[in-house]
Amino acid sequence: MMQFDKRDPLSADAPGTLAWVAAGVSAASGTSPAPTFAVSSSGRTAVCSCGSGRRYKHCCGALVAKPPAAIVHEAVRLMNAGEAAQAEYTLSALRVHDVHDATIALEVGAIHLDLNQLSTAAQWLEHALALDGDEPRLRETYDECRRLMTRRATWAAAAAEIAVVLDRLQPRVGPTGRPEQVHIVCKLDTIGGTERRALNLYRCLSAHARVSLWSTHPPLSAHTADIPIRRIAANAVPSGGTLIVVGTYFDCGDWLQTQPFDRVVICHNLSEQHVTLLQRLRQIEANPSRPRVDLTFPSTLFREVSGLPGRVEYSPVDTGHFDGVRRPASFDAPLRIGRHGRAYPWKFHPNDPAFFRSLIARGHSVRILGGSVIADAFVRDVRRPELLDIGALDARDFLASLDVFVFRKHPHFFETGGTVILEAMAMQLPVIVFSGDCGYAEVIEDGENGFIVANEAEALACIKRLQADPDLRIRLGAAARASVVARMRAQASAMIEYYLGAAAHDALPRVAASELEASFSAGAERDGRA
């Protein structure tokens, strides 16, 4: 993630502060386009011509009257408070030709970059470069802007190069029968969707084959409580059989090109990791055992965007653990609204703090598991959301405390999956998902098992409907769980055949079901009785 040192432009020696990482405010928060600032012919006390309904002197007139440095100072303050839509409005008073200070132009460009207004950001940053091209942070910010503007083309070029290597690897003959050993490798030192994918894949396969789960880093105790996890070390590495690497964002080590394997399956689940994926494939290509290589993707959306061949495999969800306990639903009562997820700034939209404030102002409560990363945005608020550290509660227990689940992320971040959405659906929660580069939005049938929204106005309208109609909450939640249970049950069978072979799949009726499959079946049976 690009972090910009947003110093107060009014004070040269002020300490650096990070403006709230923001993007796509106009499209995602439902704000109107930037107004044009023209003095009303009726005077400063007349209604402002921008359409805000306020008097000109308290609206656009107040912005025009401020010097550029003061306007930028106010925009930085708003960004730090998570009021990205207001920051965008504040900056709309500035014009490039009115700014003659490279530092001010840099600040404006950096904020527009955070707002995902890339062409506007480039215009301001190029103006800053013309004023003073020696500022290191200016060049860094401009390079980041250009990277974001061209990243889709970069992904396409990388896909072409990766496809050439895959073409050389895939014709290799893989195992014809059940593998004698399966190794699952992941970085298990934190809690997130990738980690839960690896853990649940182990649960699914371990009843049908010899499976070892490995971590490239010391694993969390929460993961080792009920699953044996081996730490990769110099004298302990995966070897033989089938290797499944879950994630492409961590280094595996030299063993990947020296240890013998019959087949390697790589779960490619981050859009920006094409370089590490290519490096991983080249390591395997140099492996003397010449294993066959296949890719899996967490969503159809990401497979299509990546332009690479492979199988779509939704993150396995333990529907026995996420058991869909229903909560009493009261008419028109305030709702408990929230979400859980990795404590990572790009998992949050820049206007999320403002959105949460609007929910609280309407009488609802907001809980965020993994929300401590945005705590600084609320330092001056009297009424705040409950922001919990990741791991403070089990995800299942946290979701059981909610009435509605809302998911939105930073528009710079391509959410290839979104395991938390499936977990919330399994818990019979009505889910509201903001559209745009979100893989698991594809599992939601709008209005049937959840809501897909384009902006905050639509999200608030859905929340209002859910508050007024408890039966709607129950119907949506039940449909959400039913769709996840059905998908997981079908996928568990397909996963066994994909990883272990047709013989293992054909033997399913004669062997004990895996823990995960049993939970799928139990969940489906319980839902059928409800």
Side-chain angles (χ1 to χ4, degrees), residues 387-415:
L387 304 176
L388 303 171
D389 288 328
I390 190 70
L393 287 175
D394 179 79
R396 183 261 172 214
D397 296 335
F398 172 79
L399 290 171
S401 73
L402 300 182
D403 296 308
V404 177
F405 179 89
V406 177
F407 181 85
R408 182 166 66 163
K409 48 80 183 173
H410 193 298
H412 282 183
F413 180 69
F414 194 110
E415 179 56 83

Side-chain angles (χ1 to χ4, degrees), residues 169-182:
L169 292 170
Q170 286 188 320
R172 297 178 178 184
V173 178
T176 56
R178 183 183 305 192
E180 295 183 1
Q181 175 74 47
V182 176

Side-chain angles (χ1 to χ4, degrees), residues 142-175:
Y142 181 69
D143 289 345
E144 173 67 1
C145 182
R146 298 303 303 177
R147 185 192 71 80
L148 289 170
M149 294 177 76
T150 61
R151 66 175 179 170
R152 295 277 178 159
T154 301
W155 295 348
E161 190 173 1
I162 291 169
V164 171
V165 180
L166 279 175
D167 285 343
R168 294 197 295 263
L169 292 170
Q170 286 188 320
R172 297 178 178 184
V173 178

Side-chain angles (χ1 to χ4, degrees), residues 90-101:
T90 298
L91 286 181
S92 64
L94 291 177
R95 300 293 181 265
V96 172
H97 61 265
D98 292 331
V99 175
H100 307 288
D101 185 308

Side-chain angles (χ1 to χ4, degrees), residues 184-202 213 223 245-250 267-270 280 298 315-316 342 347 413 415-420 423 440:
I184 302 173
V185 174
C186 189
K187 182 175 177 285
L188 297 171
D189 60 343
T190 186
I191 298 174
T194 300
E195 294 80 9
R196 288 197 286 273
R197 174 184 288 271
L199 295 166
N200 284 332
L201 183 59
Y202 173 87
L213 180 59
H223 299 326
V245 183
V246 183
T248 49
Y249 58 89
F250 51 85
C267 174
H268 181 40
N269 63 350
L270 280 177
R280 194 156 292 178
S315 183
R342 197 186 299 271
K347 292 288 187 177
F413 180 69
E415 179 56 83
T416 63
T419 305
V420 295
E423 291 170 348
Y440 289 165

Side-chain angles (χ1 to χ4, degrees), residues 46-90:
V47 175
C48 188
S49 60
C50 75
S52 68
R54 292 178 291 178
R55 291 186 177 184
Y56 175 78
K57 67 177 182 179
H58 297 307
C59 187
C60 298
L63 292 176
V64 171
K66 290 183 179 180
I71 292 174
V72 174
H73 173 66
E74 176 64 8
V76 169
R77 184 193 69 78
L78 289 166
M79 293 291 281
N80 284 324
E83 296 284 346
Q86 287 297 318
E88 178 185 9
Y89 171 76
T90 298

